């Protein structure tokens, strides 16, 4: 007898087989700036042939012979010293321009269906001790005047151009691991450190350059020194190999699964998504069932072009119902990001109270269009009499809905179009969309809260409380000295109340 879990399992496990390709010319090359070479040593010829076919089926160019055309060399289980010696003896004009990468970069790229950004963890490097030099004969100087770097992210301008990704990626993984362990202090410390490093206008090349910068404690500096010395963090490498971390990261990648549920499943001995789906004692809720059902789609990144297409759909739907409604794209895409996990929209009406029931009409309209795959609606619990709130909640009290929508290939403009696996003939993909509808007098506060990065929002609230004796959340700004809520129709009004210079959305990527 087929159970719902077994049915979901069959959908999760049903994967398109890679297109068999004997020669690169038989498959369209999508990523012409990247040319791969897979090192057969340790990998074996059979696995190398399989991975070559897989990469070619996804639009990658793969060379069978190492040449100067190769941009990315991928190896598996090779010692760095031996591999580099082999490369240097292969007669290439300039080995230094070639990215020498671990198989993890290849698997990440296959999963995303595109060449992912090369990170420190992907690189195979020979460990060489760093040479310590003084400021007198080096460019190792502070990347910006220390006095210009505030401890608060809301007083820094942080774009998507991150010059210190080699450090911040590690800090964010350490923060995530600490969060899984419910270690709030280390989690916050690593997130704050990453936020400061992201704001710097140039790369950090030595520890002397960060002296005096805020939020960089001894643990953070020790991690940075290790990266500067060896090109990697051994602590993070240890964490990545930890079974519990791997399981919790995998489980929380499912829509509707939080850290507590993931921990509960791990303690029951479950280690894979398939084990969860086939475990008869696991009762998934509606959101989790949808998360598993559309996992292969909604675990992929959403592109800016896809977000724009969804914006057109939502805008047309909302304005068909209420022509005078205000709609805004929020989240990472409003901050200028190229990719995100989902797409967030804020909508309201010009007259107080008219927003009530608006989302329900939008949901019905999306359903009539045949593009609504899943919906979780939460009615408003907002009570103005309970303002101000001294405790910030991760989720505000406005009416909202969490959706999964069907996005068609023809609706996405641009050369790349819809983010789909090669060989996927559906012509559509499922995408996560969140809609929030605050009343108009709260709109500016909600827009600010739903736009900034996690750390930016946290520091803005902390600044308000510690420096201005005010309470700020997605609903209101309360002045404790005047004992009243301050009015704001725009984000600029809120910054003005706080005595802060206005920070543009694209500068809030702390």
């Amino acid at each position: 007898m087929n159970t719902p879990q077994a049915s979901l399992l069959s959908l999760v496990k049903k994967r398109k087989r890679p297109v068999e390709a004997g020669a690169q010319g038989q498959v369209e090359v999508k990523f012409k700036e990247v040319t791969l070479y897979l090192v057969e040593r340790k990998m074996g010829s059979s696995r190398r042939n399989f991975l070559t076919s897989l990469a070619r089926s996804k639009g990658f160019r793969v060379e069978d012979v190492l040449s100067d055309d190769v941009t990315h060399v991928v190896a598996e289980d090779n010692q760095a010293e031996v591999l580099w010696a082999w490369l240097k003896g292969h007669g290439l004009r300039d080995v230094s321009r070639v990215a020498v990468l671990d198989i993890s970069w290849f698997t990440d790229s296959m999963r995303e269906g595109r060449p992912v950004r090369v990170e420190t963890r992907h690189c195979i490097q020979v460990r060489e001790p760093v040479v310590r030099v003084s400021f007198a004969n080096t460019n190792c100087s502070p990347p910006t005047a220390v006095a210009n770097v505030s401890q608060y992210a809301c007083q820094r301008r942080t774009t998507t151009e991150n010059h210190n990704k080699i450090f911040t990626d590690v800090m964010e993984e350490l923060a995530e691991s600490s969060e899984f362990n419910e270690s709030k202090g280390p989690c916050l410390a690593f997130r704050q450190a990453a936020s400061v490093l992201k704001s710097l206008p140039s790369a950090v090349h030595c520890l002397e350059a960060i002296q005096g910068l805020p939020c960089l404690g001894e643990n953070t500096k020790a991690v940075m020194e290790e990266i500067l010395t060896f090109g990697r963090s051994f602590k993070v490498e240890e964490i990545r190999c930890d079974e519990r971390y791997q399981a919790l990261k995998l489980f929380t990648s499912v829509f509707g699964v939080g850290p507590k549920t993931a921990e509960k499943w791990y303690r029951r001995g479950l280690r894979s998504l398939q084990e969860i789906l086939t475990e008869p004692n696991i009762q998934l809720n509606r959101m989790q069932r949808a998360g598993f059902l559309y996992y292969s789609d909604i675990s992929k990144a959403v592109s800016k072009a896809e977000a724009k297409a969804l914006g057109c759909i939502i805008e047309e739907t909302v304005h068909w119902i209420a022509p005078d409604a205000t709609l805004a794209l929020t989240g990472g895409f409003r901050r200028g990001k190229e990719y995100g996990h989902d797409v967030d929209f804020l909508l309201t009406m010009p007259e107080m109270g008219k927003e009530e029931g608006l989302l329900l009409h939008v949901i019905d309209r999306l359903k009539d269009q045949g593009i609504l795959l899943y919906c979780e609606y939460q009615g408003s619990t907002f009570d103005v009499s309970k303002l101000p709130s001294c405790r910030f909640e991760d989720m505000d009290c406005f009416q909202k809905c969490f959706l999964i929508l069907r996005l068609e290939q023809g609706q996405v403009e641009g050369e790349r179009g819809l983010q789909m696996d090669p060989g996927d003939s559906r012509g559509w993909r499922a995408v996560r969309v969140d809609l929030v509808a605050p009343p108009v007098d709260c709109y500016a506060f909600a827009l600010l809260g739903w736009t900034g990065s996690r750390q930016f929002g946290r520091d803005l609230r902390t600044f308000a409380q510690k420096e201005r004796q005010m309470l700020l959340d997605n609903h209101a700004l309360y002045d404790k000295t005047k004992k009243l809520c301050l009015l704001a129709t725009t984000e600029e009004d809120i910054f003005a109340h706080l005595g802060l210079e206005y920070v543009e959305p694209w500068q809030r990527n702390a």
Side-chain angles (χ1 to χ4, degrees):
M1 181 177 178
N2 290 332
T3 64
Q5 289 87 350
S7 299
L8 287 171
L9 176 61
S10 66
L11 286 166
V12 172
K13 294 178 70 175
K14 188 175 182 181
R15 306 286 187 188
K16 296 292 181 181
R17 296 185 62 182
V19 177
E20 298 295 335
Q24 185 69 57
Q26 292 178 294
V27 181
E28 178 190 0
V29 176
K30 293 184 178 180
F31 314 108
K32 297 180 181 179
E33 72 281 3
V34 173
T35 301
L36 307 183
Y37 176 79
L38 303 180
V39 178
E40 186 173 316
R41 185 177 182 274
K42 296 286 187 178
M43 184 181 293
S45 59
S46 297
R47 177 165 167 75
R48 182 176 185 256
N49 291 338
F50 168 76
L51 295 179
T52 297
S53 295
L54 175 62
R56 286 173 174 167
S57 73
K58 291 180 178 290
F60 288 77
R61 177 187 285 115
V62 185
E63 293 293 330
D64 295 321
V65 178
L66 184 60
S67 69
D68 289 314
D69 293 331
V70 171
T71 60
H72 294 62
V73 171
V74 177
E76 187 171 30
D77 296 331
N78 277 251
Q79 289 185 339
E81 293 81 0
V82 175
L83 178 62
W84 274 96
W86 177 79
L87 284 172
K88 289 175 180 178
H90 224 75
L92 297 179
R93 284 198 303 269
D94 185 7
V95 181
S96 63
R97 70 171 185 80
V98 180
V100 183
L101 307 171
D102 178 71
I103 193 69
S104 61
W105 177 86
F106 182 89
T107 54
D108 287 351
S109 297
M110 295 304 104
R111 182 174 61 250
E112 292 291 333
R114 61 184 174 87
V116 299
R117 184 193 297 271
V118 174
E119 302 175 10
T120 305
R121 64 187 178 88
H122 297 135
C123 298
I124 299 176
Q125 302 178 28
V126 179
R127 296 182 185 178
E128 296 177 355
V130 69
V131 178
R132 298 295 181 189
V133 288
S134 66
F135 279 116
N137 58 3
T138 181
N139 292 326
C140 186
S141 55
T144 188
V146 171
N148 292 337
V149 181
S150 170
Q151 64 175 312
Y152 298 110
C154 56
Q155 290 185 305
R156 304 191 294 263
R157 282 161 171 73
T158 307
T159 68
T160 56
E161 187 177 7
N162 181 1
H163 299 283
N164 289 286
K165 203 169 187 302
I166 188 174
F167 303 115
T168 60
D169 283 353
V170 167
M171 300 299 172
E172 287 170 351
E173 283 195 75
L174 291 169
E176 182 181 49
S177 174
S178 299
E179 189 171 30
F180 286 154
N181 293 328
E182 297 185 353
S183 301
K184 294 182 179 179
C187 177
L188 177 58
F190 285 125
R191 291 198 192 282
Q192 288 176 324
S195 175
V196 169
L197 292 171
K198 285 178 183 178
S199 72
L200 301 182
S202 59
V204 171
H205 296 293
C206 65
L207 287 185
E208 288 83 356
I210 63 171
Q211 296 305 313
L213 289 176
C215 307
L216 301 181
E218 292 306 312
N219 288 341
T220 298
K221 291 177 181 177
V223 171
M224 292 181 68
E225 183 172 28
E226 191 173 60
I227 295 171
L228 287 167
T229 305
F230 300 110
R232 65 186 70 185
S233 166
F234 301 115
K235 176 63 176 176
V236 163
E237 290 183 354
E238 181 183 331
I239 287 172
R240 289 176 188 147
C241 295
D242 180 69
E243 183 183 61
R244 178 176 174 273
Y245 175 80
Q246 291 176 345
L248 266 57
K249 190 172 179 66
L250 175 64
F251 295 162
T252 54
S253 71
V254 178
F255 175 52
V257 178
K260 290 185 178 179
T261 299
E263 178 70 32
K264 182 173 66 175
W265 288 348
Y266 176 78
R267 290 183 180 277
R268 294 181 67 163
L270 303 173
R271 298 294 181 267
S272 70
L273 302 184
Q274 287 79 9
E275 288 176 349
I276 293 169
L277 290 170
T278 54
E279 170 57 55
N281 294 321
I282 294 289
Q283 299 295 322
L284 301 175
N285 60 34
R286 283 187 66 250
M287 186 177 285
Q288 292 162 357
R289 287 199 297 271
F292 277 104
L293 185 61
Y294 299 108
Y295 182 80
S296 66
D297 272 356
I298 61 180
S299 61
K300 290 188 185 72
V302 182
S303 70
K304 184 185 288 186
E306 289 171 326
K308 183 179 178 182
L310 286 163
C312 292
I313 293 170
I314 298 298
E315 183 176 24
E316 182 180 349
T317 301
V318 170
H319 288 158
W320 185 85
I321 297 165
D324 55 346
T326 298
L327 179 73
L329 174 68
T330 63
F333 289 112
R334 187 169 183 242
R335 301 198 304 271
K337 286 198 168 186
E338 294 293 326
Y339 292 92
H341 295 296
D342 58 13
V343 191
D344 303 321
F345 295 97
L346 212 64
L347 59 153
T348 193
M349 297 291 289
E351 186 179 342
M352 283 286 294
K354 291 291 186 180
E355 79 284 348
E356 294 179 12
L358 178 60
L359 286 185
L360 292 175
H361 291 303
V362 171
I363 291 167
D364 288 340
R365 177 67 176 169
L366 293 171
K367 194 180 299 180
D368 291 341
Q369 294 176 57
I371 63 173
L372 184 63
L373 301 175
Y374 170 82
C375 173
E376 179 82 19
Y377 172 78
Q378 294 181 2
S380 173
T381 58
F382 178 61
D383 185 349
V384 68
S385 67
K386 293 183 179 179
L387 293 178
S389 173
C390 297
R391 182 178 178 181
F392 177 77
E393 300 291 342
D394 287 336
M395 195 60 69
D396 54 49
C397 298
F398 305 125
Q399 59 172 323
K400 59 182 65 69
C401 57
F402 308 106
L403 312 175
I404 300 178
L405 299 183
R406 174 177 172 137
L407 184 61
E408 302 286 343
Q409 175 71 270
Q411 295 171 311
V412 183
E413 297 180 357
E415 185 179 339
R416 295 195 60 187
L418 209 60
Q419 305 283 304
M420 296 177 64
D421 289 332
D424 189 339
S425 59
R426 290 177 304 165
W428 64 274
R429 67 166 289 197
V431 185
R432 281 268 301 106
V433 175
D434 293 340
L435 303 179
V436 184
V440 67
D441 64 340
C442 298
Y443 180 77
F445 302 104
L447 183 62
L448 180 60
W450 278 81
T451 295
S453 68
R454 181 175 178 178
Q455 191 61 41
F456 185 93
R458 187 187 188 282
D459 279 5
L460 192 61
R461 295 188 298 273
T462 303
F463 177 88
Q465 185 165 7
K466 289 188 175 181
E467 307 296 335
R468 298 292 186 263
Q469 289 73 55
M470 297 180 180
L471 297 175
L472 173 68
D473 61 14
N474 287 18
H475 310 94
L477 176 63
Y478 179 78
D479 189 325
K480 292 193 287 186
T481 59
K482 297 179 180 178
K483 296 184 179 180
L484 57 82
C485 285
L486 305 176
L487 299 177
T489 57
T490 66
E491 291 178 309
E492 287 90 337
D493 292 340
I494 301 171
F495 279 86
H497 284 315
L498 293 170
L500 290 170
E501 290 185 20
Y502 180 66
V503 179
E504 296 285 352
W506 56 273
Q507 297 174 324
R508 304 177 198 170
N509 286 284

